[in-house]
Structures are given as C-alpha cells and as structure tokens.
Amino acid sequence: MSITNNTSTKGTGPIIIVEELRKRYGDIQAVDGISFEVQRGEVFALLGPNGSGKTTTVEIIEGMRSADSGRAWVAGIDVRNNPKAVKQLIGVQLQSSAFFEHLKLAELLRMLGSIYRVKVDPDPLLEAVDLAERKSASFRTLSGGQKQRFAIAASLVNDPDVVFLDEPTTGLDPQARRLIWDLAKTWKRDGRTVVLTTHYMEEAEELCDRVAVMDSGKIIAMASPAQLIDQLISRGFHREQEVRLATLEDVFLDLTGRSLREF
Ligand code: ATP
C-alpha cells in the first residue's frame, strides 16, 4: 500500500492511516486487527463499550504505546519508526497528573511550549476554554472541570494538525461540555483533524463526520452518524414516537444559564 504520497502534512486525503493493528495484554486481545483512515479536517470518533480497545488504539497512533503488529501513519510518518516526529504534529489531552500542581496556568503553558521549542502566548489558549481570568492561579486550585478544560487548552500549545481527545467531556457540566463542542468545531474550521473517544452518543452525533464503533478490539461499524442511523432503520428498527419539546438538559440550561459559571 502506498502511504507517503497521500498522507503528507499538506493537502487533502487521509492524515491518519491504521493498518491491521494488533495489541495483546496477556490473555486479552485489546486491539484485534483493525484498519481505518481519518481524513484531513475530519472529526472522527472511536466509540465502544468499556474495554473495547479505544484508548489502546489511540495511544498507539500517538506513539505512546507500541503495537504487537500492524502499522500506523500520521501525515505519512510511520509512528513506530519516528514517534518523535509524530508527537510534533499532534496535540494530546494529558491527564491532570501530568501537570505540575504548583505552577500557574500561564507558566504551565509556556513550559509545555518549551518542550516543543515554541513560544506560547497563554492568553488566547486560556480564553478559548474560559480560563483567562485564572491565568495566575496554580493548577492545584482549579476545580475538576477547570482542570479538564485546561488540559484541552494545553493540547494546542504546539499548534497541532491533529488533536486527540480521550473522553474530553466526561464529568463536565452541560455548559462546559458545549464550550468544548464549540472548540472542536472551531478547530475543524481551522483545518485541524480531531480524533476523540466518547461514551456520549449525543456528542458523537453533534460533532463527528464519521465514527468507528469498536467491540472486543475490532471495528464493527464505521460511517457517518446519519448513515449508521439510516442503516439501523433500514434493518427494521423503529422507536416509539415520544414527542417532547424539551429535555432535562434544556431545563438545566434554562435555570443555570448557557454561559460557564465560575465561583
Ligand atoms: P474505556 O471505555 O473503559 O476507557 P477502552 O475502550 O479505552 O475502554 P482500553 O483502555 O484500550 O479500552 O482497554 C482494552 C483492554 O485492554 C481492556 O480489557 C483493558 O483492561 C486492557 N488493557 C489496557 N491497558 C492495559 C495494560 N497496560 N495492561 C493490561 N491490560 C490492559
């Protein structure tokens, strides 16, 4: 398969190619021979039950774990051969434990930038996740949701072509979740590719051009959300019509406002 000509850092076509990836942990076949492509500028999600192999797959593409067999390329670069070059092109949402607790948010972003040898202006990054006013606060004083939003801002310090988000909105309130959705849409408009995992089907439907559904380490379906829904309906599925003009989330947003609330 010819790879390097159609996954360069510029142009159109696939920016990620995954071919026959496998990873086993003892008795568990976490990833079982999966292949897929992500097109440049797509928002693409891996969906699947707990333990279906989503994080393992994503971390292999990021160069954080090694595959037993199969290959992955990002922008034409073979992750196995050159994980450092791949890391320059991607943004990854780090766990809270990756950040120095006592550093201020602006300092943390500048420090992360220095790892990539880029000079970072913390203000627009913090602004995007509504944390501009906390730039002089230390990381440890943030709430759980604020830490999560900060981690998303931090994934952009190197101006990446591809952003990986692992369950980016788990545990966030509805306002913060919408802020992250808007951010992902902005990244897409900027031409970035976004790869995420999520357990929220509503989130996948709102954001994703295509999704791959994983189960027991395999991809069992891959298409746009609308196509998958149409396929289900064409198999005879139908749901009892329940016409309700609002949801509990609408009630919550009506009571507490649509903008983020900080105390
Ligand atoms: P979740 O939705 O719960 O985050 P996931 O789809 O991301 O799950 P993975 O984290 O990729 O799934 O895990 C796939 C399988 O591999 C699971 O059975 C998990 O227990 C196992 N696994 C993952 N990492 C390791 C590891 N470092 N050592 C041993 N087993 C592992």
Side-chain angles (χ1 to χ4, degrees):
M1 182 176 181
S2 162
I3 297 300
T4 45
N5 289 337
N6 60 0
T7 57
S8 66
T9 53
K10 297 275 175 288
T12 55
I15 191 164
I16 295 172
I17 295 179
V18 170
E19 214 176 73
E20 281 298 312
L21 220 53
R22 284 176 210 279
K23 178 77 178 181
R24 172 178 280 278
Y25 300 108
D27 290 341
I28 297 166
Q29 189 68 48
V31 178
D32 196 5
I34 62 169
S35 303
F36 62 92
E37 294 181 354
V38 180
Q39 304 299 314
R40 178 177 305 278
E42 259 191 323
V43 180
F44 181 88
L46 290 175
L47 310 177
N50 292 136
S52 54
K54 305 177 298 293
T55 302
T56 305
T57 302
V58 167
E59 290 191 355
I60 291 171
I61 302 169
E62 294 166 353
M64 319 257 278
R65 300 194 203 192
S66 57
D68 297 335
S69 64
R71 294 173 74 184
W73 293 263
V74 178
I77 302 165
D78 185 328
V79 177
R80 191 180 46 188
N81 295 342
N82 203 345
K84 271 193 183 164
V86 167
K87 285 188 181 116
Q88 291 293 328
L89 297 176
I90 67 172
V92 176
Q93 181 194 349
L94 299 169
Q95 302 296 316
S96 287
S97 55
F99 298 110
F100 290 112
E101 290 254 301
H102 293 280
L103 286 187
K104 295 173 180 160
L105 302 190
E107 291 169 346
L108 273 170
L109 292 175
R110 287 198 197 95
M111 193 192 79
L112 283 168
S114 69
I115 295 171
Y116 293 100
R117 299 178 195 280
V118 291
K119 200 166 178 305
V120 169
D121 178 0
D123 292 335
L125 291 173
L126 293 172
E127 185 76 47
V129 291
D130 222 9
L131 285 173
E133 283 170 18
R134 306 299 303 272
K135 73 188 240 187
S136 299
S138 63
F139 182 77
R140 81 185 153 83
T141 64
L142 301 183
S143 74
Q146 290 169 338
K147 285 179 177 168
Q148 214 165 318
R149 272 152 48 204
F150 177 77
I152 289 173
S155 70
L156 262 259
V157 288
N158 60 329
D159 191 19
D161 288 346
V162 187
V163 188
F164 289 92
L165 302 174
D166 199 355
E167 296 185 33
T169 63
T170 299
L172 293 185
D173 65 36
Q175 289 90 347
R177 205 172 63 204
R178 273 150 204 270
L179 179 115
I180 303 307
W181 290 0
D182 288 345
L183 205 51
K185 290 175 191 171
T186 307
W187 294 345
K188 181 179 163 66
R189 279 198 295 276
D190 293 345
R192 297 185 212 276
T193 306
V194 181
V195 177
L196 64 131
T197 69
T198 182
H199 289 295
Y200 300 130
M201 297 306 114
E202 181 198 356
E203 177 163 290
E205 218 177 322
E206 169 82 17
L207 292 182
C208 293
D209 298 298
R210 285 188 310 133
V211 302
V213 183
M214 291 189 72
D215 200 5
S216 304
K218 293 184 192 298
I219 291 178
I220 56 170
M222 184 161 51
S224 71
Q227 284 167 336
L228 290 174
I229 292 166
D230 286 347
Q231 287 166 16
L232 177 68
I233 292 167
S234 70
R235 292 198 294 272
F237 177 90
H238 76 278
R239 191 161 35 157
E240 291 304 319
Q241 282 274 323
E242 187 188 349
V243 181
R244 280 181 116 183
L245 298 178
T247 64
L248 185 58
E249 178 157 318
D250 294 323
V251 174
F252 183 91
L253 290 171
D254 182 61
L255 291 171
T256 62
R258 291 199 161 253
S259 54
L260 275 173
R261 303 262 299 274
E262 305 296 0
F263 298 98

